Amino acid sequence: MKEAPSDASNVSHVLLSRAGFMRRVGAGIYEFLPLGVRVLRKIEAIIRGEMDRTGALEVLMPALLPADYFKETGRWDVYGDVLFRLKDRKGGDYHLGPTHEEIVTDIARREIRSWRDLPKTLYQIQLKFRDEPRPRGGLLRGREFVMKDAYSFDMDEEGAQASYETMRKAYTAIFDRLALKYRMVAADSGAIGGSKSAEFQVLVDSGEDAIVACTSCDYAANVEVATVRAEAEVRATPGAPSVERIHTPGHGAIDDVAALLGVSRAAMLKSLVYAAGDQIVMVVVRGDHDVNEVRVARATGASDVFLAGESDVEKATGAKVGFAGPVGFRGRILVDRAAAAVVNGITGANDTDYHLKNVNFGRDYSGEVLDLRLAVTGDGCPHCDAGRLASYRGIEAGHIFILGTRYSQAMNATFVDEKQQHRTLVMGCYGIGVSRLIATAVEQHHDDGGILWPASIAPYHVHLITIGHDADVLRRASELYQSLGAAGVEVLWDDRDERPGVKFKDADLIGIPYRLTVGAKALAGGHVEFKLRSESNPKMAELLSVDTAASQIAERVRGSQREP
Amino acid sequence: MKEAPSDASNVSHVLLSRAGFMRRVGAGIYEFLPLGVRVLRKIEAIIRGEMDRTGALEVLMPALLPADYFKETGRWDVYGDVLFRLKDRKGGDYHLGPTHEEIVTDIARREIRSWRDLPKTLYQIQLKFRDEPRPRGGLLRGREFVMKDAYSFDMDEEGAQASYETMRKAYTAIFDRLALKYRMVAADSGAIGGSKSAEFQVLVDSGEDAIVACTSCDYAANVEVATVRAEAEVRATPGAPSVERIHTPGHGAIDDVAALLGVSRAAMLKSLVYAAGDQIVMVVVRGDHDVNEVRVARATGASDVFLAGESDVEKATGAKVGFAGPVGFRGRILVDRAAAAVVNGITGANDTDYHLKNVNFGRDYSGEVLDLRLAVTGDGCPHCDAGRLASYRGIEAGHIFILGTRYSQAMNATFVDEKQQHRTLVMGCYGIGVSRLIATAVEQHHDDGGILWPASIAPYHVHLITIGHDADVLRRASELYQSLGAAGVEVLWDDRDERPGVKFKDADLIGIPYRLTVGAKALAGGHVEFKLRSESNPKMAELLSVDTAASQIAERVRGSQREP
C-alpha cells in the first residue's frame, strides 16, 4: 500500500500495513497476511523451543469458555466489559478467554494428585480476546491477539520461586533470541495479585510504559513501583526566615509561579488534593516531581485514587485550584520524602491568588512522610550506592508472576504431600504477547525506508530482485533461488514486472535482512549484488561472484541464525 | 483415567479421554493435554507441508468477526442458531467464525488487482466455532475445533478446475501421509453451493456417512449422490396375469407382507407418500431399496422433503399408512428405475388391509421413471462395466469444492483481465477437520487395549518403560533416552513408581508405535526388549543388544517416518 491506513497512529501499524504483513478486519481485530504469518510462526517457534527446553508441557485450552469456571473464582462478575460474553443456543452463559488461569487450574485439580506429579508447568499458544475500551496501535493493543501463557504448579512457595526463576531464564533466552533490546523490570502486579512479578519491557521511545533503570547495576522498575535512594534530608534551621504571604494573582500553575518569582520548580511544594475512596487527602511533592498514584492508593488503602474535582478542592482548602498548600490544611497530609527536605519552599496559601514562601516541613506544617513520587532521571538507585536512574519508555511484551494460591484455593486445587496431607497448589503465571511482539520488533527496528527485521524472526532471509527480463538474468536468478532454497535459505523472489526503483523501495519497506540483486550489467562481469538491509548507503552493496554467491550467502545466513 | 467419561459414546472419545489426550471443558468444547497437542501439531505440520508445496500461502484470519461481512453475503440471516453471535461493549454485532469465505473474499478484493496476481490460493489453520444442536462424539463434532481451510482464486472456471485438481492431489498426499484408509468420494455439495465437490471419507465402521465404492474402479460416492448402473429392464409381457386384490389385515410393513405372502422384498413395490414443499408425491421403490430423499428433492424442486404424516397419507390414498400403492393413485408418481422393472409386483391397494399382486409398470400404473433410490452393495457401478458397488461407512475428514462466484459476486471481488476488463474471481474452497482427524485416526486404529497411532502422527516414536529402580536399569535407560533423543527419536519415558503390568497396560492405551523395556533380567544378558504396539502377542518382543539398541531403533523410526 502506498498510503498508511487512516487510523494508524504508530510506526509499526503504518509499516506492517503498508508492507502487507497484516490488515484490519474490525476495531482491534487484524488478519495476518502471508508475510505476517511467517513472522508469527518464527516467534512461536522460538518461544515453543525455550518453553520445551524448561520441561514445560504444551497444552491447548479452548477460546470459547463456559461461564462456570470464571464464576467459581468470581472473575465472571469482576471482569466487566472487557470480557466478551455470549450465550449459546440453549441460553447458557459463555465468554471468550481473556486469560486461562481458571481453566488451567481446573486441569491441575483433575490431573495433579500427588507431590510426585510436581512441579509441573503447562503452557499454550492460543488466541486471547479482550474487549478493550480503546483498541489502538494495530497489533500493540488489539481485541483478539495471540498469546503464550504458561502456568506453574508447585508444592510450596519455595518451589514456586524455583519455577519462577526457571521461567525468568527462559524469558531472557527468548528475548535474546528475538534480538530485542529489553529490560526485565520490577512491576506492579496489578489486579491479578501475587507476591512477585516482573515485566519484560522492550525499550521503545513510543512505548506506553515509563520505566527507570540504573546505569550501574541491573535495577529496573516500572516507574509506578520504582523506589529511589533516600537522599540526606536537609531540614530548615531554627533561624530560617519565617513564612511570608505573597500575592500571585492568576498564577496557580507551578511553572507560572516559579517564573513569576524567579525560582526553580524544585523550590516549590506541589500540593494536590486527592479523592482516595471516600477520603480527601493532600499530597505534597516537590514542584519538579510527579505523584505516584499507585503509592497514594497503597498509603490510603483505597482501590483507586484520582485528583479531586474543583468544588471538592475549594471545599477542602477554601481556595481555587492552584492555591492549595499544607500550611494550616485541616486534613490528612501525605508528604513525599523529597518535599519534606525542601528548605524555605513556596506553596499555595489556601487562599485564592496567594502563595506562601519560606515554608519548612516540621516547623510550618506536618504530615506522614513517605515515598510518594515517580522516580526521574538522575535519582539515586535504591539498589546500589553509586548508580543513578535513567528513564526509558517501553512496551510490555512479557510478564511473569508468582500467583500463590489465589486460584488454586478458590477452585480447591490440591495435592497429597509426602505425609498424605492435602495441600493447596502454589501457582505462577507467565505471559508473552506473541502478536504484540511483531509490532514491538518493528517499533524498535525500522528506519525511514521501512522495517529492519532481526534475522531470527524475519519473514525470509533473502530478498531476491531481478532487474529486467533478460533470459540470462532469469536463468541465473532461478539457479540462485533453487540452490539457496536447497541450502535452507528462505528466499522471497520479486519477479514482478516493475521498475528497479520500485522493487528496491518495496524491499526496504518489507525489511528482509539481505538483498540479492541480479541484473544484466553486473552479470556481464560475472557478479550479483548483495546488500544488508541495515546498510542505508546503496553504494555499500558487495559484488559477489555469481558462482559462489549461493554458498557465501548461505554461510552468512547460518551465522545470523545461530542462537545467542 | 480408569473409567471412560459418562458421555463418551464412541471409541475415540473413550480412548482419547482415558489415555489423557484431551478433556471436556463444556458441551462440545475440549482442551488438548500434552499428548493431544503433540498429535495435533504433527497433523498440522503434514497439512502445512503439503499446502506450502502447492504454492498456497498461509494466512491467519480472526476468529472474532464483525457481522458486516456475513451481512454482505446474506449468511448473517441464513446461518441461524449455528452461528455463535455476540455484541461488543458498544453494542456492535459480532460472531465467531464458523468458516471464512467472506473474510478471505475480502482479502481478495483488496489485494488481488490484476490477472497477473492469479491464480492464488490462501489457507489457514485456525479455530472454528459452530453451535451444533447436538455436539457429540468428542472431537468428531465439537462446537470449537481446529480446521485447515484453503480458498483458491482464479480468472475463470478452467483455472478453478486446475486449482481444484492441485488441491485434490495435495489432499491425497496428506491422507496418504496420515496413513489413513480413505476414499475420495463424489459428494452432494449441500448448502454451500458450487459446481464440483468431493469428500475425503476416512473408512470407519462407526462413521456417520454412508458411502458406496466400486470394487473394480475408483468410483466412490456418498450414498446420497451415488448412481447405479442401469440394469436391463424386464417389462411384464401382455400375457402376464392380471392384478389381483388380496386381503392382508394388519400387515402394512414391507417385511410383514413379504413374510405373509412368502415372497422376497425385491418382489414388492414400496410406495411412500412424501411432502415436497407444498406438493404431495408418491415415490415408488423396490421393497428392498431405500428412497434417496436428496433426489426426490431435486426431482420436485423442493428445498426439503419429508414423509407425509398419517392424516396426509390417508387423505391422499384413502387408506391407512402401509397400504398405499401407485395403482389408481390420483397424484404425481415418481418411480425408481428398479421399481419400474419389477414384474408382477405386490403393492398397497390404497385400501386399508388390502394389497394388490401382479402389478406391472406401464400396464397397471404409470409415473416419471428416475433414479430415486440409495445405492446398495451389489449394485452395478455406474462408471465401469464389470464393477459392483460395496457399501462403507466413513467420517468426512476433508471436503473440496469449486465455489464459483457465489461469494466473489456478492462481495464484488473482481480483477482486471488482459483486456483491461473487470471480471469476477472464480473461487474454490478446501477444508480439513484437523482436530476431527485425531479422533478419526483413533476410530480407525485401535484394538481392545487402546490406540495404535500411525507412525506419522504418533505423539512420540518410542515408549520407554523401566522396570524397578535398579541403578543399572536407570543408568542404561537414561543412556538410551539420551542417545535416541540425539538421533531425533521422540521418547516418552515412563519412570513412574508403578508395577510393570500397569506400565504395559498404559503403554497399550496410549498407543505409541514402539515399546522399549529396560529391566534387570534382560539387562543381565545384555539385552533390552523391543516390541511393536501393533503386535498383540507379548511373546513377540525382540531382544536387542543394549549397545546397539539405540541405533537399530533410530533406523526403524526413520524408516517409519519416510513420506510415502
Side-chain angles (χ1 to χ4, degrees):
Chain A
M1 289 163 50
K2 292 221 164 41
E3 304 289 334
S6 58
D7 65 332
S9 57
N10 61 343
V11 70
S12 61
H13 192 175
V14 169
L15 292 177
L16 289 168
S17 301
R18 285 194 51 220
F21 285 77
M22 56 97 165
R23 292 280 182 268
R24 182 183 185 279
V25 172
I29 303 176
Y30 295 87
E31 66 203 356
F32 294 93
L33 297 181
L35 289 173
V37 169
R38 292 182 70 97
V39 175
L40 183 66
R41 297 284 175 244
K42 290 197 176 187
I43 295 175
E44 287 178 358
I46 288 173
I47 293 173
R48 191 171 274 131
E50 296 298 334
M51 287 294 112
D52 289 348
R53 201 184 290 229
T54 67
L57 296 172
E58 187 173 0
V59 297
L60 185 64
M61 294 179 268
L64 176 64
L65 300 172
D68 315 7
Y69 300 90
F70 268 49
K71 284 179 177 169
E72 255 190 274
T73 61
R75 290 213 291 180
W76 178 256
D77 297 319
V78 168
Y79 233 102
D81 284 348
V82 172
L83 209 57
F84 279 109
R85 296 162 203 261
L86 65 159
K87 286 187 185 289
D88 75 352
R89 60 164 69 219
K90 290 179 176 163
D93 280 326
Y94 288 78
H95 67 97
L96 303 182
T99 167
H100 281 81
E101 279 82 3
E102 283 82 352
I103 310 301
V104 81
T105 305
D106 179 64
I107 295 181
R109 72 177 162 186
R110 284 181 289 115
E111 309 295 331
I112 295 176
R113 302 284 161 83
S114 148
W115 62 274
R116 289 189 184 82
D117 299 329
L118 298 170
K120 194 77 82 203
T121 297
L122 303 176
Y123 78 96
Q124 67 173 348
I125 296 176
Q126 173 63 303
L127 296 175
K128 295 278 188 278
F129 301 85
R130 293 182 194 165
D131 197 355
E132 296 282 350
R134 285 171 302 279
R136 61 188 178 278
L139 299 182
L140 286 177
R141 189 172 296 274
R143 300 201 293 171
E144 171 174 339
F145 53 98
V146 180
M147 190 166 163
K148 188 284 301 178
D149 43 333
Y151 306 89
S152 62
F153 298 91
D154 279 278
M155 285 195 273
D156 49 27
E157 183 70 21
E158 193 186 332
Q161 293 279 355
S163 293
Y164 176 92
E165 185 57 20
T166 300
M167 278 293 139
R168 192 191 63 71
K169 286 183 185 153
Y171 271 51
T172 302
I174 290 165
F175 284 91
D176 286 346
R177 287 178 64 184
L178 294 172
L180 296 176
K181 288 183 284 290
Y182 70 96
R183 292 292 297 238
M184 191 187 90
V185 307
D188 185 73
S189 53
I192 301 186
S195 54
K196 189 170 181 180
S197 90
E199 290 170 356
F200 284 76
Q201 288 277 355
V202 175
L203 303 180
V204 168
D205 289 344
S206 61
E208 70 178 10
D209 289 340
I211 63 180
V212 289
C214 178
T215 49
S216 315
C217 76
D218 65 358
Y219 177 75
N222 193 304
V223 79
E224 288 184 349
V225 296
T227 52
V228 300
R229 188 164 58 234
E231 307 284 359
E233 292 178 25
V234 185
R235 286 282 159 85
T237 55
S242 55
V243 171
E244 200 176 306
R245 185 176 153 94
I246 43 180
H247 194 213
T248 52
H251 289 66
I254 289 283
D255 284 339
D256 291 352
V257 183
L260 180 72
L261 303 182
V263 298
S264 77
R265 294 193 305 155
M268 311 259 325
L269 298 168
K270 184 155 50 177
S271 308
L272 298 165
V273 180
Y274 273 92
D278 51 8
Q279 308 171 47
I280 292 283
V281 296
M282 178 177 285
V283 179
V284 183
V285 296
R286 223 165 66 182
D288 57 337
H289 288 156
D290 287 315
V291 174
N292 183 336
E293 297 181 352
V294 172
R295 292 183 178 237
V296 174
R298 205 169 295 159
T300 57
S303 62
D304 206 14
V305 303
F306 47 90
L307 280 170
E310 277 186 37
S311 63
D312 283 341
V313 172
E314 289 183 31
K315 217 164 100 187
T317 67
K320 292 209 161 159
V321 170
F323 300 94
V327 180
F329 180 74
R330 295 168 178 279
R332 188 171 176 191
I333 304 178
L334 304 177
V335 187
D336 178 62
R337 200 186 306 277
V342 168
V343 175
N344 300 332
I346 294 162
T347 189
N350 294 330
D351 191 359
T352 305
D353 291 344
Y354 285 92
H355 276 75
L356 302 178
K357 57 188 273 190
N358 302 329
V359 173
N360 291 285
F361 179 78
R363 185 189 74 176
D364 307 317
Y365 72 103
S366 59
E368 302 156 54
V369 179
L370 298 161
D371 274 322
L372 292 169
R373 67 181 177 94
L374 296 175
V376 295
T377 296
D379 273 333
C381 173
H383 274 213
C384 68
D385 283 343
R388 294 271 150 195
L389 299 181
S391 299
Y392 301 91
R393 296 204 73 86
I395 297 171
E396 184 195 330
H399 202 158
I400 60 179
F401 279 92
I402 291 183
L403 273 174
T405 55
R406 154 98 174 80
Y407 294 91
S408 45
Q409 200 145 40
M411 296 181 69
N412 198 26
T414 61
F415 68 100
V416 174
D417 70 9
E418 296 96 320
K419 296 170 189 156
Q420 302 302 311
Q421 301 297 307
H422 282 272
R423 283 163 55 188
T424 303
L425 289 162
V426 182
M427 292 173 58
C429 83
Y430 315 92
I432 293 184
V434 182
S435 44
R436 169 182 278 194
L437 271 174
I438 299 176
T440 303
V442 174
E443 291 286 335
Q444 195 175 78
H445 296 279
H446 67 271
D447 62 16
D448 290 346
I451 305 170
L452 287 89
W453 289 107
S456 58
I457 60 172
Y460 291 87
H461 303 131
V462 173
H463 197 121
L464 172 62
I465 290 177
T466 39
I467 299 180
H469 294 93
D470 186 90
D472 203 38
V473 165
L474 295 182
R475 185 176 58 81
R476 287 299 201 166
S478 177
E479 285 168 10
L480 283 165
Y481 184 82
Q482 299 294 337
S483 39
L484 285 168
V489 176
E490 299 164 8
V491 185
L492 179 66
W493 182 358
D494 185 350
D495 61 353
R496 291 175 303 165
D497 190 16
E498 291 282 2
R499 285 175 297 113
V502 171
K503 292 191 177 190
F504 291 143
K505 215 164 169 178
D506 285 348
D508 281 351
L509 180 61
I510 292 171
I512 293 168
Y514 300 119
R515 193 175 82 193
L516 177 63
T517 307
V518 182
K521 205 170 139 194
L523 206 56
H527 291 114
V528 292
E529 271 185 30
F530 182 70
K531 187 183 149 303
L532 298 185
R533 168 66 183 86
S534 55
E535 175 54 64
S536 55
N537 184 348
K539 291 186 181 150
M540 292 301 287
E542 292 173 55
L543 286 179
L544 302 182
S545 154
V546 66
D547 295 320
T548 60
S551 59
Q552 282 180 275
I553 294 170
E555 187 51 43
R556 296 274 280 263
V557 167
R558 267 194 295 277
S560 75
Q561 296 296 309
R562 218 157 277 147
E563 292 170 22
Chain B
M1 289 162 51
K2 291 221 164 40
E3 304 289 332
S6 58
D7 64 331
S9 57
N10 61 343
V11 70
S12 60
H13 192 176
V14 170
L15 293 177
L16 289 168
S17 301
R18 286 194 51 221
F21 286 77
M22 57 97 163
R23 291 282 182 266
R24 181 182 185 278
V25 173
I29 303 176
Y30 295 87
E31 67 204 355
F32 294 94
L33 297 181
L35 290 172
V37 169
R38 293 182 69 97
V39 175
L40 183 67
R41 298 284 175 244
K42 290 197 176 186
I43 295 175
E44 287 178 0
I46 288 173
I47 293 173
R48 190 171 274 132
E50 296 299 332
M51 286 293 111
D52 290 347
R53 202 185 289 229
T54 67
L57 297 171
E58 186 172 2
V59 296
L60 185 64
M61 294 178 268
L64 176 64
L65 299 172
D68 314 7
Y69 300 90
F70 268 49
K71 284 179 176 168
E72 256 191 271
T73 61
R75 289 214 291 181
W76 178 255
D77 297 319
V78 168
Y79 233 103
D81 284 347
V82 173
L83 210 56
F84 279 109
R85 297 162 201 260
L86 66 160
K87 286 189 185 288
D88 74 353
R89 61 163 70 220
K90 290 180 176 162
D93 280 325
Y94 288 78
H95 66 97
L96 303 181
T99 167
H100 280 82
E101 280 81 3
E102 283 82 352
I103 311 301
V104 81
T105 305
D106 179 64
I107 295 181
R109 72 177 163 187
R110 284 181 289 116
E111 309 295 330
I112 295 176
R113 303 283 161 84
S114 145
W115 61 274
R116 288 187 186 83
D117 300 327
L118 298 171
K120 194 78 79 204
T121 296
L122 303 176
Y123 78 96
Q124 67 174 347
I125 296 176
Q126 173 61 303
L127 297 175
K128 295 277 188 280
F129 301 85
R130 293 183 194 163
D131 197 355
E132 296 281 351
R134 283 172 304 280
R136 62 187 176 280
L139 298 180
L140 287 176
R141 188 173 297 275
R143 300 201 292 172
E144 170 173 340
F145 52 97
V146 181
M147 190 167 162
K148 188 285 300 180
D149 43 332
Y151 305 89
S152 62
F153 297 91
D154 279 278
M155 285 194 272
D156 50 28
E157 183 70 21
E158 194 186 332
Q161 294 279 354
S163 293
Y164 176 92
E165 184 57 18
T166 300
M167 279 292 139
R168 191 190 63 71
K169 286 183 185 152
Y171 271 50
T172 301
I174 289 166
F175 284 92
D176 285 347
R177 287 178 63 185
L178 294 172
L180 297 175
K181 288 182 286 291
Y182 69 97
R183 293 292 297 238
M184 190 188 91
V185 306
D188 185 74
S189 51
I192 303 186
S195 55
K196 190 172 180 180
S197 90
E199 289 170 357
F200 285 74
Q201 289 276 356
V202 175
L203 304 180
V204 167
D205 289 344
S206 61
E208 70 177 10
D209 289 339
I211 62 179
V212 289
C214 180
T215 50
S216 316
C217 76
D218 66 359
Y219 176 75
N222 193 304
V223 78
E224 289 184 349
V225 297
T227 51
V228 299
R229 186 162 64 234
E231 308 285 358
E233 292 178 27
V234 185
R235 285 285 159 82
T237 53
S242 56
V243 172
E244 199 176 307
R245 183 176 155 95
I246 43 180
H247 194 213
T248 52
H251 289 67
I254 288 284
D255 283 338
D256 292 350
V257 183
L260 180 72
L261 304 180
V263 299
S264 78
R265 294 193 305 154
M268 311 257 324
L269 298 168
K270 184 155 48 179
S271 307
L272 298 165
V273 180
Y274 273 92
D278 51 8
Q279 307 171 48
I280 292 282
V281 296
M282 179 177 283
V283 179
V284 183
V285 296
R286 226 167 62 185
D288 57 337
H289 287 156
D290 288 315
V291 173
N292 183 336
E293 296 183 352
V294 172
R295 292 182 178 235
V296 175
R298 204 169 296 159
T300 57
S303 62
D304 206 13
V305 300
F306 47 90
L307 279 171
E310 278 186 37
S311 63
D312 283 341
V313 172
E314 288 183 32
K315 217 165 103 188
T317 66
K320 292 206 160 160
V321 171
F323 300 93
V327 180
F329 179 75
R330 296 168 176 281
R332 190 172 174 191
I333 303 178
L334 305 176
V335 187
D336 177 63
R337 202 185 306 277
V342 168
V343 175
N344 300 332
I346 295 161
T347 190
N350 294 330
D351 191 359
T352 304
D353 291 344
Y354 286 92
H355 276 75
L356 302 177
K357 56 190 275 190
N358 302 328
V359 173
N360 290 285
F361 179 76
R363 185 190 74 177
D364 307 318
Y365 73 103
S366 59
E368 302 156 52
V369 179
L370 298 161
D371 273 321
L372 290 171
R373 69 180 175 94
L374 296 175
V376 293
T377 295
D379 273 333
C381 172
H383 274 213
C384 69
D385 282 343
R388 293 274 153 194
L389 299 181
S391 297
Y392 301 91
R393 297 204 72 87
I395 297 172
E396 183 194 330
H399 202 158
I400 60 179
F401 279 92
I402 291 183
L403 273 175
T405 56
R406 154 99 176 78
Y407 294 91
S408 46
Q409 200 146 40
M411 297 182 68
N412 199 25
T414 61
F415 68 100
V416 174
D417 70 9
E418 296 96 319
K419 294 169 186 156
Q420 301 301 310
Q421 302 295 309
H422 283 271
R423 282 161 58 187
T424 302
L425 289 162
V426 182
M427 293 173 59
C429 81
Y430 315 93
I432 294 184
V434 181
S435 44
R436 169 181 279 194
L437 271 174
I438 298 175
T440 304
V442 174
E443 291 286 335
Q444 196 174 78
H445 296 279
H446 67 270
D447 63 15
D448 289 346
I451 305 170
L452 288 89
W453 289 106
S456 58
I457 60 173
Y460 291 86
H461 303 132
V462 172
H463 197 121
L464 171 62
I465 290 176
T466 40
I467 298 180
H469 294 94
D470 185 90
D472 203 39
V473 165
L474 294 182
R475 184 176 61 79
R476 287 301 199 163
S478 178
E479 285 168 11
L480 284 164
Y481 184 82
Q482 300 293 337
S483 40
L484 285 167
V489 177
E490 300 163 7
V491 184
L492 178 66
W493 182 358
D494 185 350
D495 59 355
R496 292 176 302 165
D497 189 16
E498 292 282 1
R499 285 175 296 113
V502 170
K503 292 192 178 190
F504 291 142
K505 215 163 170 181
D506 285 349
D508 281 352
L509 180 61
I510 292 171
I512 293 168
Y514 300 119
R515 193 176 82 193
L516 177 63
T517 307
V518 182
K521 204 171 139 194
L523 207 54
H527 291 114
V528 292
E529 271 185 28
F530 182 71
K531 187 182 148 304
L532 298 185
R533 168 66 183 88
S534 56
E535 175 54 63
S536 54
N537 184 348
K539 294 187 179 150
M540 293 300 288
E542 293 174 55
L543 286 179
L544 302 182
S545 155
V546 66
D547 296 319
T548 59
S551 59
Q552 281 180 275
I553 294 170
E555 187 51 43
R556 296 274 282 264
V557 168
R558 268 194 294 278
S560 76
Q561 296 295 311
R562 217 156 276 146
E563 292 172 22

